[in-house]
Amino acid sequence: MQPWMYVVLLGLVVIVYARFLPKEQMAASGKMTVVQEIEETIEHFAAEMDEQNQSLLDLFSKTKQDYEVELAKLAGRLETLEKQKHELSQELTKVHFKDQGNSAAISTIDLELGQQGAAGEPLTLVEESVYEEAEPVYAGLSMKSRYAELFSLHDQGKGVEAIAKKLGMNKGEVSLILQLSRQEEMTRA
């Protein structure tokens, strides 16, 4: 081979090598660009997650505050209802004992009426008003005796909704009666 051929071959090798060299550098720089884009995407995703977490924490704290305010209102209302229940229970007890006194008076009047009926004398206005039916008083003061039908349905395994529908009551009312009965049993124990 002649020397000029060596020069041509060497030139061709250099040209081919020069063509491949930039492609490798470009491919390497392309890979670096992809890695940078992935890192930027991950950082952006992490930032969005932090923002969403913060908004969830804010929502949770607001909900918790609302819940605490509502709980305080309900506790106050429950306390008021318990006071009213206690007062009504006392009044009911008084009426019950008064009714027992009235039934003794009625039995006395019945005896007198039996005697007056035989004599044919008319009843006086006072005797008629005492003899009229008194307001119904609960025989027992416990919740179970006042709402016997409700508790019999509950003992049969009926749900609150079924009991409410059958008795024509609100579900909340049925739940409240059941809860008050449980509290009443706990205080008696």
Side-chain angles (χ1 to χ4, degrees), residues 35 38 44 59 81 83 88 92 98 108 119 124 131 142 158 165 168 184:
V35 169
I38 290 173
H44 181 68
L59 178 65
L81 288 173
K83 286 179 183 176
L88 289 173
L92 193 59
K98 186 177 178 182
T108 306
T124 65
Y131 195 73
S142 71
K158 304 284 184 189
K165 191 177 279 187
E184 186 177 79

Side-chain angles (χ1 to χ4, degrees), residues 3-182:
W4 63 272
M5 286 182 108
Y6 287 115
V7 172
V8 171
L9 280 173
L10 185 64
L12 286 175
V13 170
V14 169
I15 290 173
V16 170
Y17 181 73
R19 286 194 139 207
F20 286 123
L21 187 64
K23 286 183 181 178
E24 290 176 6
Q25 289 177 352
M26 279 196 218
S29 67
K31 288 180 184 177
M32 292 300 285
T33 306
V34 170
V35 169
Q36 287 175 345
E37 287 177 5
I38 290 173
E39 287 176 353
E40 288 175 2
T41 304
I42 290 173
E43 288 175 9
H44 181 68
F45 179 72
E48 285 182 1
M49 290 296 290
D50 285 341
E51 288 175 14
Q52 288 178 354
N53 285 343
Q54 187 61 41
S55 66
L56 282 174
L57 286 173
D58 293 343
L59 178 65
F60 179 73
S61 64
K62 184 182 180 305
T63 303
K64 183 180 176 185
Q65 288 173 351
D66 291 346
Y67 171 75
E68 288 173 352
V69 167
E70 190 67 25
L71 184 63
K73 286 179 185 176
L74 290 175
R77 187 170 178 205
L78 180 63
E79 187 177 322
T80 305
L81 288 173
E82 285 176 348
K83 286 179 183 176
Q84 287 177 350
K85 178 195 167 269
H86 182 69
E87 290 170 0
L88 289 173
S89 168
Q90 287 177 342
E91 283 184 42
L92 193 59
T93 304
K94 289 176 186 176
V95 168
H96 181 70
F97 288 123
K98 186 177 178 182
D99 185 44
Q100 287 177 346
N102 285 344
S103 59
I106 290 173
S107 63
T108 306
I109 291 173
D110 281 341
L111 289 175
E112 291 175 6
L113 284 177
Q115 294 169 358
Q116 288 177 357
E121 299 173 9
L123 294 174
T124 65
L125 185 60
V126 173
E127 292 172 16
E128 287 177 0
S129 65
V130 170
Y131 195 73
E132 289 178 358
E133 286 187 31
E135 290 185 24
V137 176
Y138 298 115
L141 298 177
S142 71
M143 294 295 285
K144 287 196 176 192
S145 61
R146 285 186 237 168
Y147 300 100
E149 188 175 2
L150 184 144
F151 285 103
S152 69
L153 291 171
H154 184 262
D155 292 341
Q156 293 173 8
K158 304 284 184 189
V160 171
E161 191 169 322
I163 295 171
K165 191 177 279 187
K166 178 154 182 133
L167 299 178
M169 300 170 80
N170 293 328
K171 290 187 289 187
E173 187 177 3
V174 171
S175 297
L176 180 63
I177 291 169
L178 292 172
Q179 184 180 8
L180 288 174
S181 172
R182 281 186 224 115

